[in-house]
Amino acid sequence: MGKPLFYEILEKPATSSIIGICSAIWFYIQKKNIGYSHVGLSYETAIEGHHWRIITSAFSHISVLHLVFNMSALWSLGVVEQLGHIGLGVAYYLQYTLVLVVFSGLLVLGMYHILIQRFKVDYFRRVTAVGYSCVVFGWMTILSVKQPSSKLDLFGFLSLPISFAPFESLIFTSIIVPQASFLGHLSGIIVGYATAWGLIHGMNNFWAISMLGWIVVIFVFSLKQSGAYNFNFLDIESVADPSFPSVRFLGNGRTLQMSALPLEGVEVV
């Protein structure tokens, strides 16, 4: 007989919190009747400055089956939090979840960019990715390298050897769910291997907090600049040199000038 759910939640606090966040966002999306095009990530929206979608696309799910599948897999992968003795653990899980969310989103945009600009496959301009699958596939891959003897349990009855789970799941979802994002899942696998093999390394609490801070800043400013949300306390104005935006916080009269790359010739991937 397994442990009571309450004790398992205590043993997987980060996983449980993420599942709670994704479930709450799904409930909000259903209640407000929000479509995937409003929160998902696509090449077109990225080049229009909707960089905030890298975050919202990862934590949003439109269908309940999509949510249940991803959260079931994530719950099983939460064993990472209990593997502090091999260099994983709760801190590692939180730090590299940030890495997986951001890097897999950037990588899939890079893939879209190559397919569109190099191979002229315009179909990928409007393909919209949504869901936590890229992070799930990333953790599958990391665990398959760090703890190859583990099992991936889905829905409480389906068990897969973790060493084959990333590519088994990639093929399985592509066949069973034709609309599944193959490139999104593949990007999670690539970032997962880069992390497990030490190509992406050095994350600690300092860098994780710094990265989170920059994510919040870029998230808020891209929401404002793209017109997706109006922050009344924040006003972004042009100055004489268009490559230097002026940021004004209303109410105190102070301005902050920030350096930025010229808009001409910038390719967002």
Side-chain angles (χ1 to χ4, degrees):
M1 185 175 179
K3 295 180 181 178
L5 179 61
F6 176 75
Y7 290 104
E8 289 199 52
I9 290 173
L10 292 179
E11 290 178 348
K12 303 176 181 178
T15 302
S16 302
S17 297
I18 292 171
I19 290 173
I21 291 169
C22 288
S23 300
I25 291 173
W26 174 83
F27 181 79
Y28 181 83
I29 285 173
Q30 298 303 309
K31 184 178 180 180
K32 297 295 184 180
N33 198 28
I34 298 172
Y36 69 90
S37 62
H38 295 97
V39 293
L41 177 66
S42 69
Y43 184 81
E44 279 195 341
T45 56
I47 61 177
E48 289 171 0
H50 294 226
H51 306 130
W52 51 270
R53 290 175 180 264
I54 292 176
I55 306 301
T56 59
S57 64
F59 291 92
S60 301
H61 298 79
I62 303 303
S63 73
V64 66
L65 285 178
H66 189 199
L67 175 71
V68 170
F69 181 84
N70 279 349
M71 296 304 102
S72 175
L74 186 65
W75 179 255
S76 180
L77 294 166
V79 68
V80 170
E81 296 187 63
Q82 303 168 351
L83 297 176
H85 60 284
I86 62 169
L88 303 181
V90 177
Y92 182 95
Y93 183 87
L94 290 171
Q95 292 160 6
Y96 284 95
T97 289
L98 275 178
V99 170
L100 288 169
V101 169
V102 175
F103 281 37
S104 59
L106 293 175
L107 181 58
V108 76
L109 287 175
M111 291 178 180
Y112 288 163
H113 180 78
I114 292 171
L115 289 168
I116 293 165
Q117 302 298 334
R118 179 68 179 85
F119 297 100
K120 309 302 180 185
V121 186
D122 283 343
Y123 164 78
F124 287 101
R125 283 187 180 276
R126 289 170 294 277
V127 170
T128 302
V130 64
Y132 204 70
S133 305
C134 56
V135 182
V136 169
F137 273 82
W139 280 119
M140 277 187 206
T141 306
I142 293 170
L143 199 58
S144 72
V145 174
K146 299 286 189 179
Q147 189 82 347
S149 60
S150 297
K151 298 280 187 180
L152 177 66
D153 296 317
L154 297 174
F155 310 114
F157 62 87
L158 180 62
S159 182
L160 300 173
I162 195 66
S163 55
F164 300 109
F167 292 102
E168 283 180 348
S169 300
L170 181 66
I171 295 169
F172 175 78
T173 53
S174 298
I175 294 173
I176 302 301
V177 187
Q179 67 269 32
S181 175
F182 179 87
L183 292 180
H185 297 168
L186 182 61
S187 69
I189 291 174
I190 292 171
V191 177
Y193 275 123
T195 301
W197 290 340
L199 301 177
I200 300 174
H201 65 280
M203 283 292 287
N204 53 35
N205 289 337
F206 171 80
W207 288 115
I209 293 171
S210 299
M211 185 177 180
L212 181 60
W214 279 110
I215 289 171
V216 171
V217 170
I218 294 170
F219 185 90
V220 171
F221 273 78
S222 63
L223 270 176
K224 174 70 175 180
Q225 288 186 301
S226 64
Y229 190 86
N230 183 28
F231 293 94
N232 293 325
F233 65 90
L234 184 64
D235 188 26
I236 303 176
E237 302 173 338
S238 297
V239 291
D241 185 348
S243 67
F244 291 87
S246 174
V247 181
R248 179 161 58 92
F249 293 89
L250 300 182
N252 56 18
R254 291 177 297 177
T255 61
L256 172 66
Q257 194 170 26
M258 298 168 53
S259 61
L261 292 174
L263 296 178
E264 295 182 0
V266 174
E267 294 180 341
V268 182
V269 297

